[in-house]
């Protein structure tokens, strides 16, 4: 058995660590590139959203290098993603791929349900080992998230363009190499040290932008045309409303780990603008925008894949939030476009807008 | 006399504007880009240099439009600004107190909301180019009327027909059906204008508060049928500035003036760049399966700029100090 899974940002680092800790053989797909997109969009239904096409491309590329079992998340609507595992599997079957499919549905009530599902892959290994493996994966996600936050702070302030990205990719290598839970603290320390070596201008005024939207588009830089990196280079400090470790804690551990940001807060902040769940992260997008406004952020960017229903609901509500709380919101819809000139133009104009507002605020203060 | 140069290199047109210190236009050119931005820009600069009165010195230059980096590298621009900012700056210099800018160009459309002279919100078409200039061009040629006659013909309509405007494909087939049923041309054209305005307001203007004074600019503003359709839909007067088709360049010139007044010096390389040998080359990077198409700009035989790589490997290697990609 060689297990593979779709890419979603740095998710692979955690999943690979967890599975390999249990002695399961893993073959992650090659990084998502244009080739992935071409393969995926050739065989996926045209009206499906970008994540389905890229998942499919990931699986096809992983099969080329020997993967034979898919580990994939499920879901239970209203977002279409809940069907994707099955639809992708059927398409692969039609194309003649010999894959086994294991769908991990998010637990509805208790973490034990999640553990029972993962048993399929872990086989007869003792529970304490499975729990340790999951903990290991989660620890890696936490450290990667922490390093990303350091990068988000340093990128707009760096003295030499590109130095933050260089340091970040070296730091990431350290985390990837850590082969045992006891190696994590040292890797974290070294990674943090690398990040702190990036020369910055601490007094440089920067605008602060919160990013909200659909989780896959948020976490996978290939789909969002690297908005975080572009924004950083244009002098904006970025905060993302969803981080992988928080998502794992919320959805798989049912909030077992306390003291970290939770999507509950975002959902609580959504009324009166959006009072109930609309699928995906629609309600969280509205709530996070409210929270960012209250925390003094200068602006919010919403990201969604074309035809994403939950985010379309949020998109039509956000202008009201924006007007009430006086926080500019820019919505970017992503699909198969790979030219980033249009995106850069919009981001630049948005930062101009925020800078002018920021200057006005400074004058008044 | 001191003058400032603004250059807007867009997908369809390349515009050059020369303004004086009071931001009045001395000279303006509107050229078709024809897919050759460098050549078109040099041609524009040559024309401008030939017409330039002796006593004028160019004290600053600014570039905008999708080819702004290219034009900025070639001319040594003092500012390189996105089209949204430059359009807003130009509109509020022509119509003081502008609160809304409606802009429809060849391939994109945007709405800019200004409050107290500052951009407070904007939107641009993202995944769909329905209802932009290219579509109107195409429909005019299908109906065999010159694009210049589109607007005046639409104005003669008595009862504009309703045309589905959500998508250019729907609009086209709806138009053909109406035409085959025997509706007359002015009513169809006016109906198309109304459909495009409806699509623009729903798609780009979604949820935005559109207040007077409103300025309508970009190439499509030449079409009086569109102006009328906007006024009918919005219930406010829509102003079309005299230089509606070069507003981006005007904004860039105004910003170049502000910038050089602040810094005291200009990097503008002079009109001689019009005669230098520039050319664009490129290659496909094989570093990873992204296969980025890297563009290289050469002056004579020397690479002076590079872009198009996702990872920054190539663009960083040449411009460590300039933040381009």
């Amino acid at each position: 058995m060689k297990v593979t899974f779709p890419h979603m940002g740095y998710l692979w680092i955690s999943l690979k660590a967890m599975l390999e800790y249990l002695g399961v053989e893993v073959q992650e797909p090659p990084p998502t590139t244009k080739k992935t997109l071409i393969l995926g969009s050739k065989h996926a239904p045209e009206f499906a959203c970008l994540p389905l096409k890229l998942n499919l491309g990931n699986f096809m590329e992983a099969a080329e290098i020997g993967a034979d079992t898919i580990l994939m998340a499920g879901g239970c609507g209203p977002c279409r993603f809940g069907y994707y595992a099955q639809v992708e599997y059927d398409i692969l079957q039609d194309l003649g791929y010999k894959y086994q499919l294991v769908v991990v549905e998010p637990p509805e009530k208790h973490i034990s349900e999640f553990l029972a599902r993962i048993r399929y892959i872990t086989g007869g290994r003792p529970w304490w080992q499975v729990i340790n493996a999951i903990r290991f994966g989660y620890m890696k996600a936490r450290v990667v998230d922490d390093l990303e936050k350091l990068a988000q702070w340093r990128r707009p302030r760096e003295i030499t363009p590109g130095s933050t990205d260089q340091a970040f990719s070296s730091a990431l290598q350290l985390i990837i190499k850590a082969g045992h839970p006891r190696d994590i603290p040292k890797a974290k320390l070294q990674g943090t040290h690398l990040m702190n070596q990036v020369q910055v201008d601490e007094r440089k005024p920067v605008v602060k932008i919160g990013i909200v939207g659909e989780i896959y588009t948020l976490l996978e830089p290939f789909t969002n045309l690297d908005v975080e990196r572009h924004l950083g280079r244009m002098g904006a400090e970025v905060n993302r409303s969803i981080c992988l470790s928080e998502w794992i804690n919320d959805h798989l551990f049912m909030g077992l780990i306390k003291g970290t940001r939770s999507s509950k807060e975002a959902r609580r902040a959504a009324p009166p603008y959006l009072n109930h769940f609309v699928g995906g992260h629609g309600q969280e997008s509205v709530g996070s925008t409210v929270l960012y406004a209250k925390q003094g952020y200068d602006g919010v960017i919403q990201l969604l894949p074309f035809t994403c229903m939950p985010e379309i609901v949020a998109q039509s509500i956000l202008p009201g939030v924006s007007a009430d709380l006086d926080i500019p919101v820019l919505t970017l819809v992503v699909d198969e476009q790979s030219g980033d000139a249009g995106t850069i133009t919009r981001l630049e104009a948005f930062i101009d807008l925020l800078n002018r507002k920021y200057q006005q605020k400074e004058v008044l203060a | 006399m001191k003058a400032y140069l603004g250059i807007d290199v867009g997908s369809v047109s390349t515009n050059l504007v020369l303004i004086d210190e009071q931001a009045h236009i001395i000279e303006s050119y509107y050229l078709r880009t024809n897919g050759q931005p460098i050549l078109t820009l040099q041609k524009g600069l040559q024309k401008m240099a030939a017409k330039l009165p002796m006593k004028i010195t160019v004290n600053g230059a600014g570039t905008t439009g999708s080819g702004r980096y290219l034009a900025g590298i070639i001319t040594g621009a003092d500012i390189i600004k996105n089209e949204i900012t430059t359009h807003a700056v130009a509109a509020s210099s022509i119509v003081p107190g502008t609160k809304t800018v409606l802009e429809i160009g060849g391939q994109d459309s945007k709405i800019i909301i200004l409050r107290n002279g500052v951009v407070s919100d904007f939107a641009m078409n993202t995944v769909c180019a329905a209802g932009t200039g290219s579509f109107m061009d195409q429909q005019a040629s299908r109906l065999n009327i010159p694009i210049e006659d589109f607007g005046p013909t639409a104005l003669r309509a008595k009862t504009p027909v309703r045309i589905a405007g959500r998508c250019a494909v729907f609009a086209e087939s709806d138009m053909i059906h109406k035409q085959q049923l025997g509706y007359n041309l002015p009513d169809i054209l006016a109906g198309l204008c109304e459909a495009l305005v409806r699509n623009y307001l729903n798609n780009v203007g979604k949820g935005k508060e559109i207040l007077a004074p409103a300025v309508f600019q970009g190439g499509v503003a030449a079409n009086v049928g569109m102006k009328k359709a906007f006024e009918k839909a919005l219930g406010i007067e829509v102003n079309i500035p005299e230089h509606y088709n070069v507003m981006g360049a005007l904004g860039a010139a105004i910003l170049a003036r502000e910038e050089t007044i602040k810094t005291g010096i200009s990097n503008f390389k002079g009109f001689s760049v019009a005669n230098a040998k520039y050319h664009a080359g490129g290659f496909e990077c094989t570093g990873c399966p992204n296969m980025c198409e890297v563009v290289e700009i050469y002056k004579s035989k020397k690479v002076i700029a590079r872009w198009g790589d996702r990872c920054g490997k190539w663009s960083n290697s040449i411009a460590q100090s300039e933040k381009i990609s």
Side-chain angles (χ1 to χ4, degrees):
Chain A
M1 185 165 66
K2 252 190 178 178
V3 177
T4 193
F5 39 78
H7 273 305
M8 183 170 78
Y10 302 116
L11 170 72
W12 68 275
I13 297 177
S14 295
L15 267 181
K16 193 177 158 102
M18 178 189 115
L19 294 169
E20 284 184 344
Y21 182 80
L22 288 169
V24 177
E25 219 182 326
V26 174
Q27 180 54 66
E28 75 274 14
T32 301
T33 58
K34 254 190 237 169
K35 186 182 162 207
T36 319
L37 180 61
I38 291 168
L39 280 174
S41 47
K42 184 172 170 194
H43 298 291
E46 176 272 329
F47 52 85
C49 68
L50 196 55
L52 184 139
K53 298 176 184 177
L54 291 176
N55 289 172
L56 196 59
N58 283 153
F59 296 145
M60 292 168 77
E61 284 185 294
E64 280 173 29
I65 44 176
D68 58 17
T69 303
I70 292 174
L71 178 63
M72 171 81 182
C76 43
C79 165
R80 294 182 284 179
F81 178 77
Y83 296 122
Y84 280 8
Q86 205 58 52
V87 172
E88 286 159 7
Y89 178 66
D90 283 356
I91 295 173
L92 290 168
Q93 288 244 300
D94 287 348
L95 292 172
Y97 287 91
K98 305 262 178 282
Y99 261 126
Q100 286 292 315
L101 174 70
V102 181
V103 185
V104 183
E105 302 282 348
E108 278 112 56
K109 291 195 181 63
H110 196 262
I111 190 165
S112 61
E113 295 183 50
F114 166 59
L115 293 175
R117 285 191 187 103
I118 215 146
R119 199 86 238 209
Y120 181 93
I121 290 195
T122 60
R125 288 171 191 89
W127 277 120
W128 61 266
Q129 204 184 343
V130 175
I131 288 171
N132 266 351
I134 294 172
R135 215 180 115 248
F136 183 38
Y138 175 74
M139 280 164 76
K140 281 207 176 185
R142 269 295 274 276
V143 180
V144 171
D145 283 345
D146 288 346
L147 289 173
E148 271 200 289
K149 281 177 191 144
L150 290 176
Q152 288 163 346
W153 189 86
R154 295 207 163 244
R155 219 176 264 127
R157 296 174 171 91
E158 67 189 4
I159 308 257
T160 317
S163 52
T164 309
D165 288 325
Q166 266 170 16
F168 180 65
S169 61
S170 320
L172 216 51
Q173 286 308 320
L174 296 172
I175 311 303
I176 293 168
K177 281 200 198 104
H180 194 274
R182 66 172 169 265
D183 300 335
I184 295 269
K186 194 176 161 211
K188 182 181 174 176
L189 209 68
Q190 285 175 335
T192 312
H193 179 70
L194 275 176
M195 292 307 291
N196 288 339
Q197 300 248 286
V198 177
Q199 294 286 312
V200 290
D201 174 5
E202 288 190 29
R203 277 175 304 181
K204 186 179 164 193
V206 299
V207 290
K208 284 170 78 178
I209 295 179
I211 301 191
V212 304
E214 190 272 331
I215 179 168
Y216 185 87
T217 329
L218 241 55
L219 295 186
E220 177 58 59
F222 179 83
T223 57
N224 62 37
L225 297 163
D226 253 333
V227 280
E228 274 188 38
R229 201 183 115 227
H230 284 307
L231 285 169
R233 289 189 158 203
M234 291 173 191
E237 186 183 327
V238 169
N239 186 287
R240 211 167 51 209
S241 63
I242 304 172
C243 291
L244 186 62
S245 63
E246 294 162 8
W247 182 84
I248 295 175
N249 186 29
D250 277 343
H251 294 266
L252 299 179
F253 301 170
M254 304 309 284
L256 210 61
I257 291 160
K258 305 294 173 203
T260 65
R261 185 173 67 170
S262 148
S263 60
K264 252 191 213 144
E265 297 153 33
R267 283 197 298 277
R268 261 203 294 269
Y273 300 103
L274 182 53
N275 299 332
H276 51 84
F277 179 68
V278 291
H281 289 83
Q283 201 185 9
E284 283 89 339
S285 288
V286 173
S288 298
T289 306
V290 172
L291 291 177
Y292 280 130
K294 289 188 175 154
Q295 290 159 12
Y297 275 73
D298 298 293
V300 166
I301 292 179
Q302 184 203 14
L303 290 172
L304 62 136
F306 190 45
T307 71
C308 172
M309 187 276 293
E311 292 300 326
I312 290 173
V313 175
Q315 187 190 358
S316 44
I317 292 170
L318 286 176
V321 181
S322 166
D324 282 1
L325 303 176
D326 191 29
I327 184 159
V329 176
L330 174 73
T331 296
L332 288 179
V333 185
V334 299
D335 199 55
E336 291 173 31
Q337 325 96 309
S338 62
D340 56 6
T343 309
I344 291 176
T345 298
R346 286 160 181 82
L347 296 179
E348 269 185 33
F350 192 61
I351 290 186
D352 272 358
L353 180 165
L354 300 182
N355 271 326
R356 295 253 174 171
K357 263 193 92 167
Y358 183 82
Q359 282 159 9
Q360 278 183 337
K361 252 197 272 180
E362 296 278 284
V363 170
L364 290 174
Chain B
M1 193 169 72
K2 288 178 184 168
Y4 302 90
L5 180 65
I7 301 166
D8 179 352
V9 181
S11 58
V12 176
S13 70
T14 296
N15 313 320
L16 287 90
V17 157
L18 196 69
I19 59 165
D20 65 16
E21 278 182 286
Q22 282 72 46
H24 294 132
I25 294 184
I26 305 171
E27 203 70 65
S28 81
Y29 289 103
Y30 178 97
L31 307 162
R32 290 259 166 185
T33 309
N34 291 334
Q36 295 179 304
I38 299 179
L39 224 65
T40 315
L41 171 64
Q42 288 186 312
K43 219 188 311 172
L45 287 171
Q46 276 165 3
K47 275 190 169 184
M48 183 81 84
K51 282 279 275 293
L52 211 62
M54 289 296 281
K55 53 186 191 300
I56 285 185
T57 55
V58 177
N59 265 38
T63 61
T64 185
S66 46
R68 59 185 178 279
Y69 293 112
L70 185 63
I73 294 275
I74 289 178
T75 56
D78 300 299
I79 60 121
I80 298 176
K81 266 287 170 209
N82 62 82
E83 329 46 314
I84 290 157
T85 306
T86 53
H87 275 281
V89 165
S92 41
S93 90
I94 301 276
V95 180
T98 296
K99 288 195 170 144
T100 311
V101 179
L102 313 163
E103 203 268 348
I104 307 185
Q107 285 292 347
D108 62 25
S109 49
K110 42 189 161 289
I111 186 167
I112 309 170
I113 306 293
L114 293 103
R115 296 292 181 261
N116 307 317
V118 176
V119 177
S120 76
D121 197 3
F122 72 89
M124 248 171 127
N125 57 340
T126 43
V127 269
C128 170
T132 54
S134 309
F135 177 63
M136 303 191 88
D137 244 352
Q138 194 194 334
Q139 293 314 311
S141 71
R142 198 176 61 75
L143 294 167
N144 212 5
I145 57 165
I147 188 75
E148 296 78 27
D149 296 345
F150 194 122
T153 312
L155 283 190
R156 294 206 311 271
K158 296 208 174 60
T159 47
V161 297
R162 183 160 175 107
I163 289 170
R166 245 198 89 194
C167 160
V169 180
F170 297 170
E172 179 158 346
S173 56
D174 213 15
M175 254 176 85
I176 294 173
H177 293 158
K178 297 274 152 89
Q179 175 194 315
Q180 304 302 68
L181 284 174
Y183 291 96
N184 67 38
L185 191 62
D187 287 347
I188 291 176
L189 291 183
L192 184 62
C193 289
E194 288 182 6
L196 296 186
V197 164
R198 225 171 25 241
N199 176 54
Y200 172 91
L201 294 176
N202 287 334
N203 196 356
V204 185
K206 178 161 43 194
K208 311 242 182 288
E209 192 186 25
I210 299 176
L211 299 177
V215 176
F216 178 25
Q217 58 198 37
V220 173
N223 186 326
V224 284
M226 288 296 285
K227 172 177 154 63
K228 195 180 164 197
F230 264 123
E231 289 179 335
K232 192 171 159 190
L234 295 172
I236 57 172
E237 197 204 339
V238 170
N239 303 291
I240 297 183
E242 189 191 341
H243 299 281
Y244 62 86
N245 59 355
V246 294
M247 295 296 273
L250 174 61
I254 294 173
L255 289 172
R257 194 194 65 186
E258 280 179 15
E259 179 69 19
T260 46
I261 287 174
K262 216 166 24 180
T263 59
I265 46 156
S266 170
N267 300 319
F268 180 54
K269 293 179 186 163
F271 286 101
S272 62
V273 296
N275 303 317
K277 281 248 180 300
Y278 287 96
H279 74 275
F283 59 91
E284 199 175 75
C285 174
T286 49
C288 81
N290 266 331
M291 292 176 290
C292 293
E293 294 123 25
V294 181
V295 178
E296 290 180 313
I297 307 298
Y298 294 87
K299 185 182 184 186
S300 298
K301 278 187 180 142
K302 193 171 164 265
V303 182
I304 54 168
R306 261 199 211 115
W307 53 74
D309 48 339
R310 284 186 86 117
C311 66
K313 171 162 91 177
W314 299 101
S315 45
N316 281 344
S317 72
I318 191 142
Q320 281 291 350
S321 58
E322 274 176 287
K323 295 199 172 192
I324 278 186
S325 81

